[in-house]
Amino acid sequence: MTTMMGRGGGMAGEPEVRTAAGAVRGRWRGGQAEFRGIPYGRPPVGGLRFAAPVAALPWEGVRPAVAYGPVAPQSGPAVTSDPSRSGAAGTPADADADADADEEWLTLNVRTPDLGAARLPVLVWIHGGAYIAGASSDPSYDPAALAGAGLVVVSLNYRVGAEGFALIEGAPANRGLLDQIAALHWIRRNIAAFGGDPERVTVAGQSAGAGSIAALLTVKPARGLFRRAITHSVPGNHCTRALAAEVTTALADRLGTAPTAAGLARIPPRRLAGEVTALGAALGDHPERWGRLARTGVPVCPVLDGELLTETPWPALAGGRADGIDLLVGHTRDEFRLFSVLSGRHGTGPDGTGGWTDEEARAALELFAPPPHGADAYRAARPRATPGDLLETVYSDALFRMPSLRLAEANAAAGGASYLFELALAATEFGGVFGACHSLDVPLAFGTLGSPTGRQLFGERPAPEVRAVSRELQRAWVRFTTSGSPGWAAYDPGPQLTRVLDTASSTVRYPERSSYEIWRGHDPAPFDLP
């Protein structure tokens, strides 16, 4: 059941679609039909807390789908109120919703340019947020421009923090990934009713969203649910079972309960999320206990549980235990600069080149450079680098750049077509101090330069070259989602062709040559107990 635009261009009522669980009514926005907050799973609370996702119950009548669903409790230093309840992206909070609505964390949103179309390509966005935060309602993810280019765009919420990724005795591991798989099953069953083609689904994500997709590339329950993947700034974060169990024990000890599903279920979700924030802030005080995890400030991430995830994505693909697909993967040039600036450390030293100390740079190299000689190789490759330069380079490489590059190589080894890019365009605000930092690519790809994040990075009136890069990246997404090629040559271990997006974009040999040589043959290693 659908309600369409009239032939004269007017609106014949609000758009309605019947899904497998019941009918939903959305809104027309800019000539496109948008549906927000559609449940793909039951609220994972009460008896379903810490359980694998369970399909949403059917409903009678027509369900309003005009407000974003609430997000799982958020953790981290930048936690704010739930954007979905405060009118983010122009959406008012639903004051009439019943109390249980705040626990409907498993919802998704669909924006379609043509409800009456058949088999439009589908782009599914999985948000980032370090596995502890994030929401599909972020204004940076406004799908209007991509839908206007002919894509059906889906975005989803999933469990984050301890609810989604803590290893808990008596509960399945990696519940956040299981949520994403459940959403992809919903899309396969229902997207045709919105004009999309279930056989032409591309998953896309940045940061933790990209890391999630890297995992989904290799797990059996996700096979056949998507055809292509776009991954920006793939993180290398995975935990061993031993380390993940130690994190859960620490959380439970702080809360005075047992590290089990029964024990933690007695803790209100928001209180548990707050304890994840507190533990993350305390990790750095005890590197002897937490090892490399101490330097991230994020206590939970995907776990090598031996069931859903038996190994990290890189050896799984390169070793032929997973099939390669069409993959568009890339990173920014100055990934770690964002965190360096936000911590007040970049550019604050006596010489103006950086506030990181020799000791901090040495610790970063010892912990994150590939063994056994990576630390010496970084110093040899950059003999005049300041401590800040060395630290930012090794963190950029270990946390995002090399996991992205190695994923391109592993996917190609598995028989897929990988297309690699580096974003070198620098932010223009604050004197350009952010450089081409982590997350700079998001408003460029979505064409949301007018969003709060876009304005903070590129100003109220983005320069023509910024708009040009945004158009190029959007076109690459649309072409790749539609045809499997973004418009430049596929990556090959020989020529290593890489698209560098900048004021004058070009396709060249992979530009971070010294980092490539240092990391040759080294995949990101999972975090483990020291």
Side-chain angles (χ1 to χ4, degrees):
M1 176 177 64
T2 58
T3 302
M4 298 297 297
M5 294 179 63
R7 290 183 178 275
M11 303 297 179
E14 297 293 0
E16 293 184 10
V17 167
R18 179 166 293 281
T19 72
V24 291
R25 179 184 296 120
R27 285 180 177 167
W28 296 107
R29 298 180 186 275
Q32 302 166 355
E34 185 170 61
F35 302 82
R36 296 176 173 176
I38 305 173
Y40 65 85
R42 299 182 203 176
V45 295
L48 295 178
R49 192 167 179 203
F50 306 128
V54 177
L57 292 170
W59 58 85
E60 298 293 332
V62 181
R63 178 187 175 107
V66 297
Y68 288 114
V71 298
Q74 309 275 287
S75 302
V79 170
T80 59
S81 60
D82 179 352
S84 67
R85 314 316 296 168
S86 59
T91 303
D94 185 357
D96 295 327
D98 55 347
D100 290 342
D102 283 338
E103 299 170 339
E104 285 193 334
W105 304 333
L106 306 185
T107 64
L108 52 74
N109 321 294
V110 182
R111 182 127 173 183
T112 177
D114 188 352
L115 275 175
R119 300 190 177 281
L120 291 175
V122 180
L123 180 77
V124 180
W125 176 250
I126 301 176
H127 69 73
Y131 301 108
I132 59 173
S136 63
S137 52
D138 189 313
S140 299
Y141 309 151
D142 188 320
L146 295 171
L151 306 183
V152 176
V153 183
V154 183
S155 59
L156 57 105
N157 289 339
Y158 57 96
R159 281 173 285 183
V160 295
E163 302 293 332
F165 291 98
L167 182 66
I168 301 173
E169 182 183 340
N174 298 304
R175 295 171 297 281
L177 298 180
L178 295 177
D179 293 345
Q180 296 165 16
I181 293 169
L184 289 169
H185 276 289
W186 186 97
I187 291 163
R188 186 162 187 83
R189 289 193 303 268
N190 293 285
I191 203 62
F194 297 85
D197 186 349
E199 301 297 333
R200 300 174 70 196
V201 172
T202 297
V203 289
Q206 182 264 351
S207 197
S212 296
I213 292 169
L216 296 181
L217 289 174
T218 67
V219 299
K220 291 180 180 179
R223 289 182 182 171
L225 296 179
F226 57 91
R227 182 174 177 181
R228 301 184 177 107
I230 300 172
T231 55
H232 286 211
S233 302
V234 180
N237 303 31
H238 292 83
C239 274
T240 63
R241 282 192 68 93
L243 177 59
E246 184 73 8
V247 167
T248 306
T249 297
L251 281 172
D253 287 347
R254 297 169 73 98
L255 291 161
T257 190
T260 63
L264 290 170
R266 292 194 288 268
I267 306 300
R270 281 168 179 76
R271 185 182 173 198
L272 180 56
E275 210 57 56
V276 170
T277 300
L279 179 59
L283 290 177
D285 297 332
H286 300 283
E288 75 286 351
R289 179 179 183 184
W290 301 113
R292 287 183 297 140
L293 188 70
R295 304 295 177 178
T296 68
V298 179
V300 296
C301 61
V303 181
L304 301 180
D305 62 311
E307 297 179 12
L308 183 68
L309 289 181
T310 58
E311 58 186 330
T312 59
W314 302 275
L317 284 164
R321 291 177 292 280
D323 296 330
I325 64 169
D326 294 336
L327 175 68
L328 172 58
V329 55
H331 56 71
T332 69
R333 183 190 60 201
D334 308 309
E335 288 279 2
F336 193 72
R337 182 72 58 79
L338 173 69
F339 311 101
S340 190
V341 172
L342 292 180
S343 67
R345 307 299 295 279
H346 179 82
T348 59
D351 59 357
T353 56
W356 299 101
T357 66
D358 286 325
E359 182 179 350
E360 288 168 323
R362 186 180 307 110
L365 289 168
E366 290 175 354
L367 284 169
F368 286 95
H373 306 300
D376 292 338
Y378 271 105
R379 292 189 181 96
R382 296 167 173 79
R384 298 181 180 178
T386 66
D389 291 336
L390 282 171
L391 183 143
E392 288 187 6
T393 299
V394 71
Y395 274 147
S396 292
D397 284 345
L399 298 179
F400 300 109
R401 296 198 306 193
M402 295 303 106
S404 299
L405 171 65
R406 298 291 291 174
L407 190 67
E409 294 181 326
N411 182 67
S418 298
Y419 299 88
L420 184 63
F421 74 87
E422 176 180 85
L423 177 64
L425 179 78
T428 56
E429 293 300 280
F430 304 102
V433 68
F434 283 100
C437 67
H438 189 70
S439 298
L440 187 78
D441 44 335
V442 173
L444 293 170
F446 278 89
T448 51
L449 299 176
S451 67
T453 298
R455 293 196 301 271
Q456 289 167 3
L457 293 168
F458 298 112
E460 296 292 334
R461 296 184 178 180
E465 55 267 28
V466 172
R467 295 189 179 278
V469 170
S470 178
R471 287 192 297 270
E472 180 177 1
L473 191 51
Q474 285 180 71
R475 284 197 300 268
W477 273 30
V478 173
R479 289 185 60 170
F480 180 80
T481 302
T482 302
S483 69
S485 171
W488 60 85
Y491 180 88
D492 181 88
Q496 297 182 317
L497 293 179
T498 306
R499 187 67 174 173
V500 176
L501 303 172
D502 204 345
T503 52
S505 297
S506 58
T507 302
V508 299
R509 189 171 176 81
Y510 182 66
E512 310 301 336
R513 295 300 306 163
S514 61
S515 295
Y516 168 80
E517 293 297 338
I518 293 169
W519 282 83
R520 185 197 293 265
H522 293 278
D523 290 326
F527 298 145
D528 200 357
L529 292 170

